[in-house]
Structure formats: C-alpha cells, structure tokens
Amino acid sequence: MSQRQTPDALLLIATGCAHCPVVLEGLSQLLKQGHIGRLEVINIVEHPEAAQAIGTRSVPWTRIGPFELEGLLSPKELSDWTDLARRDEGLATYFNHLLETQRPHHVSALLQREPASLSTLLGLLASDKTPMTVRIGIGVVLEELQGSDLLAGALPDLFELARSSKANLRADAAHFLGLTGNTDASPMLQTLLQDEQADVREIAADALQMLQTGRP
C-alpha cells in the first residue's frame, strides 16, 4: 500500500466547548507519538477570522492532512483518520465518508485544493463496494463541476469508465463526458451511440447535444 508523508493537523476550538479538550488531548498524543508532524490549535473566540476563512461555525473542527472532520472524535477515530491520511487509498475512504453523510460540497472543495484527487473519486464508481448513496453524491459533485477545467481534465478516467463491461457505468460515463464541455469527448460519445444498451445510446446522444449546444 502506498504511503504519504506524516500529516499535519489543525484544530479549531472555543472557550467553553465541552468536546474540544477531548479532541485536543487525542491529537496531542498523536503528535507526541510522531504520527502527526505538526499540530496547530486556534481558539476561534480569540481569532474568529480563522473559522471564517475555513467556513465553519462549529467546534471542535479538525483537519488531518487533507481530511476535514467536524465534531467530537474519539482517540481511536483520530488515530484511524491519521493513519488513512498517510495512505493514498485513505482518500477514497474519506470521499465515502463525506458522501454518505451528504456533504458533496466538501468533496468539491477538496477537489479544488487537490485536483489530482478527482481520479480517486471517479475510481469509486468502478467499485462494486460503493453504495448507491455515494454514487448519487458523485453525480452531484460532477454536476457542480460542469464545464470546469478540472472536469475537462478527467477525460482519461471517464474514457476508462466508458469502456466498462457494465452498462450502468457506460451510461454514467456518457453523462459525465457531456458535462466536461470538452469536444475531445465527442469520438467516445459517438462510439457509445452504437452501444448495445438503449439507455447508454440515449444518454450518449443527449451528451453530444450538450457538447454541441452548451445546453442539456
């Protein structure tokens, strides 16, 4: 399994917060053990601009590596997320967590910070273990990215999905190719117009129209 470098952590707390000391202690122990490289703690009562910059009003709020987590976290949960932050495959677990808890906007924000992680998100579609709630959430995220350079750059991953033996994945890929706004997707969509499944052919036709007109 691939490993990343030791993650850093950021914790937002507030005076009078009942759960903040628990998270602070858990992160402090991970810092002492060398599982976290650096820990920054900010009291948002004294520095409200820190919470405003992040866009949160709740504490404790924790960032471990690329993972942003809200609320009370036990020492084991903190340790688990820290371990996942050191592994490339941990990002898929984090995406599952966000989409299962219906937070697609958090996924979109992470993709803006780490564009390369879009490949991991799309990889979830190909997994039989990915629940339907997550699949729906991925669709929401990609629709938010419609016409963006980020989504247009995902053509290789979408082409791979379009070649899947599973009709539902080919249908998803056709729809997402239309969302890219990139005419380089046209040859693959032309191929999907000849698909054995009527649903795939119909979605591919709609996607081609979207590319040509800029409208669904």
Side-chain angles (χ1 to χ4, degrees), residues 7 9 17 28 39-40 49 51 56 61 72 79 81 100 112-113 149 161 165 180 216:
C17 166
S28 297
L39 173 60
E40 181 180 6
E49 71 280 1
T56 186
W61 182 96
L72 176 63
S79 179
W81 282 115
E100 285 185 317
Q112 296 296 338
R113 296 194 306 272
D149 290 341
L161 284 176
S165 61
T180 66

PDB file of all heavy atoms in Angstrom, residues 7 9 17 28 39-40 49 51 56 61 72 79 81 100 112-113 149 161 165 180 216:
ATOM      1  N   PRO A   7       1.167  13.397   8.254  1.00  0.00           N
ATOM      2  CA  PRO A   7       0.297  14.560   8.083  1.00  0.00           C
ATOM      3  C   PRO A   7       0.445  15.572   9.213  1.00  0.00           C
ATOM      4  O   PRO A   7       0.852  15.241  10.324  1.00  0.00           O
ATOM      5  CB  PRO A   7      -1.099  13.951   8.092  1.00  0.00           C
ATOM      6  CG  PRO A   7      -0.962  12.752   8.986  1.00  0.00           C
ATOM      7  CD  PRO A   7       0.416  12.206   8.687  1.00  0.00           C
ATOM      8  N   ALA A   9      -1.782  18.629  11.414  1.00  0.00           N
ATOM      9  CA  ALA A   9      -3.158  18.756  11.871  1.00  0.00           C
ATOM     10  C   ALA A   9      -3.453  20.185  12.318  1.00  0.00           C
ATOM     11  O   ALA A   9      -2.570  20.898  12.820  1.00  0.00           O
ATOM     12  CB  ALA A   9      -3.437  17.782  13.019  1.00  0.00           C
ATOM     13  N   CYS A  17     -16.187  25.034  25.104  1.00  0.00           N
ATOM     14  CA  CYS A  17     -16.567  23.870  24.290  1.00  0.00           C
ATOM     15  C   CYS A  17     -16.300  22.594  25.088  1.00  0.00           C
ATOM     16  O   CYS A  17     -15.179  22.341  25.526  1.00  0.00           O
ATOM     17  CB  CYS A  17     -15.775  23.872  22.990  1.00  0.00           C
ATOM     18  SG  CYS A  17     -15.828  22.312  22.078  1.00  0.00           S
ATOM     19  N   SER A  28      -2.875  15.679  20.608  1.00  0.00           N
ATOM     20  CA  SER A  28      -1.604  15.894  21.294  1.00  0.00           C
ATOM     21  C   SER A  28      -0.850  14.586  21.479  1.00  0.00           C
ATOM     22  O   SER A  28       0.380  14.535  21.325  1.00  0.00           O
ATOM     23  CB  SER A  28      -1.840  16.567  22.652  1.00  0.00           C
ATOM     24  OG  SER A  28      -2.424  17.849  22.496  1.00  0.00           O
ATOM     25  N   LEU A  39       0.987  20.223  14.985  1.00  0.00           N
ATOM     26  CA  LEU A  39      -0.375  20.477  15.427  1.00  0.00           C
ATOM     27  C   LEU A  39      -0.546  21.966  15.700  1.00  0.00           C
ATOM     28  O   LEU A  39       0.156  22.533  16.534  1.00  0.00           O
ATOM     29  CB  LEU A  39      -0.694  19.672  16.696  1.00  0.00           C
ATOM     30  CG  LEU A  39      -2.036  19.973  17.372  1.00  0.00           C
ATOM     31  CD1 LEU A  39      -3.201  19.694  16.430  1.00  0.00           C
ATOM     32  CD2 LEU A  39      -2.177  19.172  18.669  1.00  0.00           C
ATOM     33  N   GLU A  40      -1.475  22.585  14.991  1.00  0.00           N
ATOM     34  CA  GLU A  40      -1.813  23.990  15.224  1.00  0.00           C
ATOM     35  C   GLU A  40      -3.206  24.044  15.846  1.00  0.00           C
ATOM     36  O   GLU A  40      -4.140  23.428  15.339  1.00  0.00           O
ATOM     37  CB  GLU A  40      -1.796  24.782  13.918  1.00  0.00           C
ATOM     38  CG  GLU A  40      -2.116  26.264  14.102  1.00  0.00           C
ATOM     39  CD  GLU A  40      -2.107  27.042  12.795  1.00  0.00           C
ATOM     40  OE1 GLU A  40      -1.957  26.410  11.725  1.00  0.00           O
ATOM     41  OE2 GLU A  40      -2.265  28.278  12.838  1.00  0.00           O
ATOM     42  N   GLU A  49     -11.578  35.040  12.727  1.00  0.00           N
ATOM     43  CA  GLU A  49     -11.236  35.060  11.306  1.00  0.00           C
ATOM     44  C   GLU A  49     -10.774  33.683  10.816  1.00  0.00           C
ATOM     45  O   GLU A  49     -10.915  33.353   9.633  1.00  0.00           O
ATOM     46  CB  GLU A  49     -10.155  36.111  11.021  1.00  0.00           C
ATOM     47  CG  GLU A  49      -8.765  35.790  11.522  1.00  0.00           C
ATOM     48  CD  GLU A  49      -8.543  36.068  12.999  1.00  0.00           C
ATOM     49  OE1 GLU A  49      -9.498  36.512  13.679  1.00  0.00           O
ATOM     50  OE2 GLU A  49      -7.413  35.848  13.475  1.00  0.00           O
ATOM     51  N   ALA A  51     -12.065  30.745  11.696  1.00  0.00           N
ATOM     52  CA  ALA A  51     -13.278  29.989  11.364  1.00  0.00           C
ATOM     53  C   ALA A  51     -13.924  30.538  10.100  1.00  0.00           C
ATOM     54  O   ALA A  51     -14.442  29.786   9.264  1.00  0.00           O
ATOM     55  CB  ALA A  51     -14.264  30.030  12.530  1.00  0.00           C
ATOM     56  N   THR A  56     -16.561  27.561   8.727  1.00  0.00           N
ATOM     57  CA  THR A  56     -17.248  26.726   9.709  1.00  0.00           C
ATOM     58  C   THR A  56     -17.648  27.557  10.915  1.00  0.00           C
ATOM     59  O   THR A  56     -17.008  28.565  11.242  1.00  0.00           O
ATOM     60  CB  THR A  56     -16.364  25.556  10.171  1.00  0.00           C
ATOM     61  OG1 THR A  56     -17.126  24.698  11.030  1.00  0.00           O
ATOM     62  CG2 THR A  56     -15.141  26.045  10.922  1.00  0.00           C
ATOM     63  N   TRP A  61     -13.387  21.466  15.320  1.00  0.00           N
ATOM     64  CA  TRP A  61     -13.240  21.254  13.881  1.00  0.00           C
ATOM     65  C   TRP A  61     -11.789  20.863  13.656  1.00  0.00           C
ATOM     66  O   TRP A  61     -10.879  21.539  14.122  1.00  0.00           O
ATOM     67  CB  TRP A  61     -13.573  22.529  13.121  1.00  0.00           C
ATOM     68  CG  TRP A  61     -13.493  22.419  11.623  1.00  0.00           C
ATOM     69  CD1 TRP A  61     -14.524  22.168  10.768  1.00  0.00           C
ATOM     70  CD2 TRP A  61     -12.321  22.566  10.794  1.00  0.00           C
ATOM     71  NE1 TRP A  61     -14.090  22.146   9.466  1.00  0.00           N
ATOM     72  CE2 TRP A  61     -12.723  22.389   9.446  1.00  0.00           C
ATOM     73  CE3 TRP A  61     -10.980  22.819  11.061  1.00  0.00           C
ATOM     74  CZ2 TRP A  61     -11.843  22.467   8.384  1.00  0.00           C
ATOM     75  CZ3 TRP A  61     -10.081  22.889  10.006  1.00  0.00           C
ATOM     76  CH2 TRP A  61     -10.513  22.720   8.683  1.00  0.00           C
ATOM     77  N   LEU A  72     -17.092  15.824  17.804  1.00  0.00           N
ATOM     78  CA  LEU A  72     -16.298  15.009  18.724  1.00  0.00           C
ATOM     79  C   LEU A  72     -15.734  13.792  18.014  1.00  0.00           C
ATOM     80  O   LEU A  72     -16.458  13.073  17.328  1.00  0.00           O
ATOM     81  CB  LEU A  72     -17.176  14.562  19.900  1.00  0.00           C
ATOM     82  CG  LEU A  72     -16.527  13.617  20.909  1.00  0.00           C
ATOM     83  CD1 LEU A  72     -15.345  14.291  21.601  1.00  0.00           C
ATOM     84  CD2 LEU A  72     -17.568  13.146  21.925  1.00  0.00           C
ATOM     85  N   SER A  79      -6.879   8.481  15.516  1.00  0.00           N
ATOM     86  CA  SER A  79      -5.778   7.623  15.091  1.00  0.00           C
ATOM     87  C   SER A  79      -6.063   6.994  13.731  1.00  0.00           C
ATOM     88  O   SER A  79      -5.181   6.917  12.860  1.00  0.00           O
ATOM     89  CB  SER A  79      -5.540   6.527  16.135  1.00  0.00           C
ATOM     90  OG  SER A  79      -4.506   5.672  15.741  1.00  0.00           O
ATOM     91  N   TRP A  81      -8.078   8.145  11.306  1.00  0.00           N
ATOM     92  CA  TRP A  81      -8.008   9.150  10.246  1.00  0.00           C
ATOM     93  C   TRP A  81      -6.564   9.563   9.978  1.00  0.00           C
ATOM     94  O   TRP A  81      -6.185   9.831   8.830  1.00  0.00           O
ATOM     95  CB  TRP A  81      -8.863  10.368  10.597  1.00  0.00           C
ATOM     96  CG  TRP A  81     -10.330  10.166  10.366  1.00  0.00           C
ATOM     97  CD1 TRP A  81     -11.321  10.149  11.304  1.00  0.00           C
ATOM     98  CD2 TRP A  81     -10.976   9.933   9.108  1.00  0.00           C
ATOM     99  NE1 TRP A  81     -12.546   9.925  10.713  1.00  0.00           N
ATOM    100  CE2 TRP A  81     -12.363   9.789   9.367  1.00  0.00           C
ATOM    101  CE3 TRP A  81     -10.524   9.835   7.801  1.00  0.00           C
ATOM    102  CZ2 TRP A  81     -13.287   9.555   8.356  1.00  0.00           C
ATOM    103  CZ3 TRP A  81     -11.447   9.592   6.783  1.00  0.00           C
ATOM    104  CH2 TRP A  81     -12.801   9.457   7.061  1.00  0.00           C
ATOM    105  N   GLU A 100     -21.570   9.768   2.074  1.00  0.00           N
ATOM    106  CA  GLU A 100     -22.561   9.031   2.863  1.00  0.00           C
ATOM    107  C   GLU A 100     -23.229   9.945   3.884  1.00  0.00           C
ATOM    108  O   GLU A 100     -24.375   9.699   4.284  1.00  0.00           O
ATOM    109  CB  GLU A 100     -21.911   7.838   3.565  1.00  0.00           C
ATOM    110  CG  GLU A 100     -21.620   6.682   2.636  1.00  0.00           C
ATOM    111  CD  GLU A 100     -21.079   5.465   3.365  1.00  0.00           C
ATOM    112  OE1 GLU A 100     -20.228   5.629   4.252  1.00  0.00           O
ATOM    113  OE2 GLU A 100     -21.525   4.352   3.045  1.00  0.00           O
ATOM    114  N   GLN A 112     -10.953  21.117  -5.479  1.00  0.00           N
ATOM    115  CA  GLN A 112     -10.352  22.382  -5.894  1.00  0.00           C
ATOM    116  C   GLN A 112      -8.949  22.532  -5.319  1.00  0.00           C
ATOM    117  O   GLN A 112      -8.056  23.072  -5.979  1.00  0.00           O
ATOM    118  CB  GLN A 112     -11.237  23.555  -5.459  1.00  0.00           C
ATOM    119  CG  GLN A 112     -12.612  23.594  -6.110  1.00  0.00           C
ATOM    120  CD  GLN A 112     -12.574  23.792  -7.611  1.00  0.00           C
ATOM    121  OE1 GLN A 112     -11.590  24.307  -8.150  1.00  0.00           O
ATOM    122  NE2 GLN A 112     -13.635  23.399  -8.294  1.00  0.00           N
ATOM    123  N   ARG A 113      -8.764  22.027  -4.082  1.00  0.00           N
ATOM    124  CA  ARG A 113      -7.444  22.112  -3.454  1.00  0.00           C
ATOM    125  C   ARG A 113      -6.477  21.079  -4.020  1.00  0.00           C
ATOM    126  O   ARG A 113      -5.293  21.333  -4.144  1.00  0.00           O
ATOM    127  CB  ARG A 113      -7.555  21.910  -1.932  1.00  0.00           C
ATOM    128  CG  ARG A 113      -8.349  22.972  -1.190  1.00  0.00           C
ATOM    129  CD  ARG A 113      -8.101  22.872   0.311  1.00  0.00           C
ATOM    130  NE  ARG A 113      -8.349  21.564   0.859  1.00  0.00           N
ATOM    131  CZ  ARG A 113      -9.527  21.134   1.302  1.00  0.00           C
ATOM    132  NH1 ARG A 113     -10.581  21.939   1.242  1.00  0.00           N
ATOM    133  NH2 ARG A 113      -9.664  19.918   1.812  1.00  0.00           N
ATOM    134  N   ASP A 149     -12.367  23.395 -15.953  1.00  0.00           N
ATOM    135  CA  ASP A 149     -11.114  22.810 -16.430  1.00  0.00           C
ATOM    136  C   ASP A 149     -10.801  21.524 -15.667  1.00  0.00           C
ATOM    137  O   ASP A 149     -10.213  20.591 -16.229  1.00  0.00           O
ATOM    138  CB  ASP A 149      -9.967  23.804 -16.256  1.00  0.00           C
ATOM    139  CG  ASP A 149     -10.074  24.988 -17.198  1.00  0.00           C
ATOM    140  OD1 ASP A 149     -10.807  24.891 -18.209  1.00  0.00           O
ATOM    141  OD2 ASP A 149      -9.446  26.028 -16.914  1.00  0.00           O
ATOM    142  N   LEU A 161     -14.064   4.526 -17.864  1.00  0.00           N
ATOM    143  CA  LEU A 161     -15.411   4.132 -17.437  1.00  0.00           C
ATOM    144  C   LEU A 161     -16.300   3.806 -18.633  1.00  0.00           C
ATOM    145  O   LEU A 161     -17.110   2.889 -18.590  1.00  0.00           O
ATOM    146  CB  LEU A 161     -16.054   5.254 -16.619  1.00  0.00           C
ATOM    147  CG  LEU A 161     -15.579   5.442 -15.178  1.00  0.00           C
ATOM    148  CD1 LEU A 161     -16.252   6.668 -14.564  1.00  0.00           C
ATOM    149  CD2 LEU A 161     -15.879   4.209 -14.334  1.00  0.00           C
ATOM    150  N   SER A 165     -17.452  -2.991 -18.979  1.00  0.00           N
ATOM    151  CA  SER A 165     -18.374  -4.044 -19.413  1.00  0.00           C
ATOM    152  C   SER A 165     -19.762  -3.860 -18.806  1.00  0.00           C
ATOM    153  O   SER A 165     -20.711  -4.540 -19.208  1.00  0.00           O
ATOM    154  CB  SER A 165     -17.813  -5.415 -19.024  1.00  0.00           C
ATOM    155  OG  SER A 165     -17.673  -5.502 -17.611  1.00  0.00           O
ATOM    156  N   THR A 180     -18.336  17.654 -19.276  1.00  0.00           N
ATOM    157  CA  THR A 180     -16.997  18.223 -19.365  1.00  0.00           C
ATOM    158  C   THR A 180     -16.964  19.473 -20.238  1.00  0.00           C
ATOM    159  O   THR A 180     -16.113  20.343 -20.039  1.00  0.00           O
ATOM    160  CB  THR A 180     -15.983  17.215 -19.942  1.00  0.00           C
ATOM    161  OG1 THR A 180     -16.317  16.925 -21.303  1.00  0.00           O
ATOM    162  CG2 THR A 180     -15.964  15.940 -19.118  1.00  0.00           C
ATOM    163  N   PRO A 216     -28.285  21.242 -21.905  1.00  0.00           N
ATOM    164  CA  PRO A 216     -28.773  19.849 -21.821  1.00  0.00           C
ATOM    165  C   PRO A 216     -29.760  19.535 -22.926  1.00  0.00           C
ATOM    166  O   PRO A 216     -30.463  20.426 -23.396  1.00  0.00           O
ATOM    167  CB  PRO A 216     -29.446  19.804 -20.433  1.00  0.00           C
ATOM    168  CG  PRO A 216     -28.843  20.921 -19.668  1.00  0.00           C
ATOM    169  CD  PRO A 216     -28.535  22.000 -20.675  1.00  0.00           C
TER     170      PRO A 216
END
